[in-house]
Amino acid sequence: MIKPDAMRNGHAGAIIDRFIKEGFRIVALKQTKLSQEKAGEFYAVHKERPFYGELVEFMSSGVIIAAILEKENAVTAFRELIGATNPAQAAEGTIRKLYATSVGENAVHGSDSDENAKIEGSFFFSGLEQF
Ligand code: ATP
Ligand code: MG
């Protein structure tokens, strides 16, 4: 997912270009906006964390781009490409280092396991939207 901060700051094109250049195949892609309810559902695993309210507020604050990306070892490769959650700790050249503003507004989301990637993919896309 490309988060609302990166959308507002005009980085969506550069970020998608990076996905493609790093060898990810686009299986599905769309712009949409999460309601507070949907954002809360998406990040439900973090419900007990102190930043949950802020996270839900931010993730529903503007449009996002959702994508399903395919590559060998995609989860690991993608997390390497986006960098650490906190951009201050992200490696040089990673998407979060280049485009994120803060730990809360950190430009992109990546799934943390193949299992969650499946769940998150079907959160946004029907079978007819995946190629
Ligand atoms: P994501 O799941 O969005 O890809 P991540 O896996 O790197 O990020 P998580 O620990 O899953 O990090 O946290 C989910 C999101 O919650 C983070 O991307 C960030 O937007 C927000 N978040 C995490 N830690 C903090 C924090 N300490 N303060 C504010 N927001 C935070
Ligand atoms: Mg996560």
Side-chain angles (χ1 to χ4, degrees):
M1 199 185 332
I2 303 179
K3 296 186 178 184
D5 62 317
M7 298 298 289
R8 278 194 282 272
N9 295 331
H11 299 311
I15 292 172
I16 293 170
D17 188 54
R18 194 70 193 283
F19 294 164
I20 295 167
K21 291 207 167 105
E22 298 287 341
F24 289 87
R25 191 178 77 76
I26 294 172
V27 175
L29 186 82
K30 74 171 143 201
Q31 174 173 297
T32 184
K33 190 166 186 283
L34 293 170
S35 61
Q36 291 206 357
E37 192 193 347
K38 284 308 238 182
E41 194 187 314
F42 188 86
Y43 277 115
V45 290
H46 295 306
K47 210 178 308 182
E48 306 307 326
R49 309 282 285 276
F51 56 80
Y52 179 71
E54 191 186 315
L55 178 60
V56 166
E57 192 65 39
F58 166 61
M59 289 304 297
S60 57
S61 70
V63 296
I64 57 107
I65 286 177
I68 299 177
L69 302 175
E70 187 177 86
K71 190 181 179 173
E72 195 78 17
N73 297 314
V75 168
T76 309
F78 191 76
R79 297 200 69 91
E80 231 162 74
L81 171 63
I82 68 179
T85 307
N86 186 344
Q89 277 141 32
E92 281 309 317
T94 59
I95 290 175
R96 281 171 169 163
K97 180 71 176 191
L98 289 167
Y99 305 119
T101 345
S102 64
V103 64
E105 306 203 355
N106 59 3
V108 278
H109 160 79
S111 301
D112 59 15
S113 65
D114 287 353
E115 189 193 0
N116 283 336
K118 278 221 171 66
I119 294 167
E120 293 175 359
S122 41
F123 179 91
F124 285 111
F125 301 100
S126 75
L128 289 169
E129 296 172 306
Q130 302 179 33
F131 297 97

